[in-house]
Amino acid sequence: MKILGIDPGLNTTGYGVIEGTVGTCGTTLLEGGVVRSVKDAAMAVKIKMIYDGVHEVIEQYRPDAVAIESLYSHYDRPTTAIMMGHARGVICLAAAQFGINVFPYAATKVKKMLTGSGHAPKDQMQRAIAIELALKKFPEPADVADALAIALCHFHHNKIFTNQR
């Protein structure tokens, strides 16, 4: 099973592609990276750049699933959620064009699945990702680490669900 994990953002969208077999413990990192838009570009241009970048990754790796961070808004910054919603929309569109299901995960669920704590700090998350994917160093930038965490969460969630049948 190939999973594309995505940490959506308007300026930087992190992605990570992993492969694993349900019924085994092992997962392999196929690729991690970022899709960047031009910081001061118009909204439509940023959205198109995100769409094009994600579309290219999907076309290259043909994942079985796309796992994406759920939309979340802190009451102090509601605009952030609206802006992230634009990025999530074009990511979902790119997946739908390939017939790939999109699975949203809350950040707290991702952290709990990988570390046992829904409020794990960044360095603990990076350590968990590095151990699970047998990486010699922590994944960088943080957007890539977050995307890999989301992909791993989906893998483990799917593994648990499959074992319960």
Side-chain angles (χ1 to χ4, degrees), residues 1-56:
M1 163 185 280
K2 279 188 211 167
I3 302 165
L4 170 60
I6 299 184
D7 179 33
L10 273 181
N11 293 321
T12 306
T13 292
Y15 69 89
V17 184
I18 63 169
E19 187 167 32
T21 305
V22 175
T24 69
C25 295
T27 52
T28 304
L29 172 63
L30 299 179
E31 171 153 355
V34 293
V35 174
R36 296 189 194 278
S37 66
V38 176
K39 186 177 181 183
D40 296 325
M43 177 66 71
V45 172
K46 287 178 178 261
I47 290 171
K48 182 170 182 340
M49 292 175 85
I50 293 165
Y51 169 82
D52 289 344
V54 170
H55 188 275
E56 185 178 308

Side-chain angles (χ1 to χ4, degrees), residues 26-154:
T27 52
T28 304
L29 172 63
L30 299 179
E31 171 153 355
V34 293
V35 174
R36 296 189 194 278
S37 66
V38 176
K39 186 177 181 183
D40 296 325
M43 177 66 71
V45 172
K46 287 178 178 261
I47 290 171
K48 182 170 182 340
M49 292 175 85
I50 293 165
Y51 169 82
D52 289 344
V54 170
H55 188 275
E56 185 178 308
V57 171
I58 292 172
E59 190 169 50
Q60 181 177 352
Y61 287 97
R62 302 288 176 158
D64 301 299
V66 172
I68 190 168
E69 185 176 5
S70 292
L71 199 54
Y72 169 77
S73 176
H74 191 272
Y75 66 91
D76 286 341
R77 294 173 284 161
T79 307
T80 302
I82 294 167
M83 300 309 235
M84 189 193 291
H86 294 338
R88 289 180 87 249
V90 296
I91 292 164
C92 291
L93 172 62
Q97 288 179 325
F98 285 90
I100 301 168
N101 290 329
V102 177
F103 300 89
Y105 291 95
T108 53
K109 179 171 181 127
V110 173
K111 290 178 179 185
K112 185 164 178 77
M113 182 73 77
L114 294 183
T115 68
S117 170
H119 301 288
K122 280 255 188 239
D123 65 320
Q124 186 178 1
M125 287 295 295
Q126 288 179 314
R127 197 173 312 111
I129 295 161
I131 289 168
E132 180 138 1
L133 295 173
L135 304 176
K136 293 181 178 163
K137 59 183 185 172
F138 291 169
E140 291 182 2
D143 307 287
V144 173
D146 292 346
L148 289 170
I150 293 162
L152 287 166
C153 178
H154 181 71

